[in-house]
Amino acid sequence: MAGVTKEESWGEYLRNSGSATWKVSKPFVNGGASGMLATCVIQPIDMIKVRIQLGQGSAGQVARTMIKNEGFGAFYKGLSAGLLRQATYTTARLGSFRVLTNKAIEANDGKPLPIVQKALCGLTAGAIGACVGSPADLALIRMQADATLPAAQRRNYQNAFHALFRIVKDEGVLALWKGAGPTVVRAMALNMGMLASYDQTVEYFKDNLGLGEYSTLVGASAVSGFFASACSLPFDYVKTQIQKMQPDASGKYPYTGSLDCAVKTFKAGGPFKFYTGFPVYCVRIAPHVMMTWIFLNQIQKLEKRIGI
């Protein structure tokens, strides 16, 4: 096409072919891509967080033990499951959140939404994402916790798809949603904190403080990460305990469900037990949230540049 760059040609091609489909799928594609890119960076911290919750010591102790006994590759164990989780969970939650907020804004005559409506959209998006991503999340937790088990009890999953295949084969299809209850609740709490606070903070930084694009992006992402961590860690702790539990010699599990786990945890260690590993969890969640928003921002800029 004379006088048209490759970028312009590609953008025009996408606009003219399946534009309606792309408009619907765009928020989901962008959300999943940004989450997967962020996961590649944050996987080592997530690995340490899980080991801390399993009672293997402080962040420094866990890191030193992993390097000594398993090598640097241990920090990326379960990466395939992490990426699969983002491809399902984050695709669904960020995509549905943007669809829900756009519909709500239209119903509000284009005016910004109050924080309560944003929180409700975040809760709904979190529930949708968790239901879709629960199998991958289960595979990720099991792969990360496998090395902490006695050799005879290790599952030795090769990758995320092998884990899913083995779970279905050994435990049945419904086992893919083991711990889905706390997973959904945790996701609802996380997304309420993450998504609602991000949109609200962006509006405040731009309209009230007059900050620039980059300062607004970084600042809002940091606020979003903190609230996501504070709201979700208690549910994340219970979810991890449920998903990694093994039956004893008599076939009895330590917890009958998430409520039983929460009650026993509270009796054993009080309310602060649920915040075990909070500094590392916050350090893990906040950067992942920040990088997700930053990657999403860059993806959207690229799409604007090529006209899609």
Side-chain angles (χ1 to χ4, degrees):
M1 221 183 296
V4 179
T5 67
K6 291 182 179 179
E7 289 183 346
E8 289 172 336
S9 299
W10 175 242
E12 186 176 351
Y13 171 76
L14 287 178
R15 284 196 302 272
N16 295 333
S17 59
S19 58
T21 302
W22 172 242
K23 184 178 180 181
V24 173
S25 61
K26 184 177 178 179
F28 296 91
V29 173
N30 291 352
S34 60
M36 291 174 75
L37 289 170
T39 291
C40 290
V41 179
I42 213 67
Q43 179 72 9
I45 299 176
D46 190 41
M47 188 67 166
I48 292 173
K49 182 267 296 182
V50 171
R51 295 290 181 91
I52 289 174
Q53 289 183 331
L54 296 177
Q56 293 202 332
S58 66
Q61 290 171 332
V62 169
R64 286 192 295 270
T65 301
M66 289 176 64
I67 293 172
K68 180 180 178 181
N69 298 336
E70 305 171 59
F72 283 98
F75 290 105
Y76 281 92
K77 191 169 186 178
L79 178 61
S80 60
L83 292 175
L84 179 61
R85 179 177 181 272
Q86 294 300 319
T88 53
Y89 169 61
T90 300
T91 296
R93 67 176 176 138
L94 289 186
S96 59
F97 176 74
R98 196 49 61 199
V99 169
L100 289 170
T101 53
N102 287 342
K103 292 292 184 182
I105 289 172
E106 286 180 14
N108 201 32
D109 297 326
K111 299 175 183 177
L113 299 178
I115 186 67
V116 174
Q117 283 186 270
K118 291 174 184 174
L120 289 174
C121 290
L123 284 169
T124 305
I128 294 171
C131 290
V132 174
S134 188
D137 191 55
L138 175 63
L140 174 62
I141 293 295
R142 287 194 175 184
M143 290 177 72
Q144 289 179 327
D146 205 42
T148 69
L149 299 173
Q153 296 182 16
R154 293 178 186 174
R155 299 177 174 94
N156 297 314
Y157 297 140
Q158 297 173 10
N159 52 55
F161 295 103
H162 180 240
L164 295 175
F165 173 78
R166 281 277 306 280
I167 291 170
V168 172
K169 180 181 178 182
D170 299 341
E171 305 170 53
V173 174
L174 293 181
L176 292 174
W177 280 270
K178 181 180 289 185
T183 297
V184 170
V185 175
R186 180 253 189 192
M188 291 172 70
L190 186 149
N191 283 279
M192 180 185 68
M194 172 186 171
L195 301 176
S197 65
Y198 178 78
D199 273 14
Q200 191 70 22
T201 306
V202 166
E203 291 175 11
Y204 179 79
F205 282 177
K206 282 184 176 180
D207 300 338
N208 296 78
L209 301 183
L211 297 184
E213 179 186 357
Y214 182 75
S215 298
T216 296
L217 177 62
V218 174
S221 298
V223 171
S224 175
F226 174 80
F227 278 103
S229 304
C231 291
S232 65
L233 181 55
F235 304 102
D236 184 79
Y237 183 88
V238 171
K239 175 182 71 70
T240 299
Q241 300 305 312
I242 292 294
Q243 288 183 328
K244 67 94 177 180
M245 65 180 179
Q246 290 269 17
D248 58 20
S250 64
K252 184 179 179 181
Y253 284 93
Y255 309 113
T256 58
S258 56
L259 181 59
D260 182 52
C261 177
V263 171
K264 288 180 178 178
T265 299
F266 184 83
K267 288 181 178 179
F272 291 107
K273 182 66 175 177
F274 294 102
Y275 282 90
T276 299
F278 179 73
V280 173
Y281 184 75
C282 192
V283 167
R284 182 263 175 192
I285 289 292
H288 191 280
V289 168
M290 292 177 70
M291 283 183 286
T292 298
W293 291 125
I294 290 170
F295 280 127
L296 181 59
N297 179 266
Q298 293 303 308
I299 290 171
Q300 290 172 336
K301 280 187 175 181
L302 174 62
E303 290 172 344
K304 286 182 180 179
R305 192 165 67 245
I306 64 177
I308 60 175

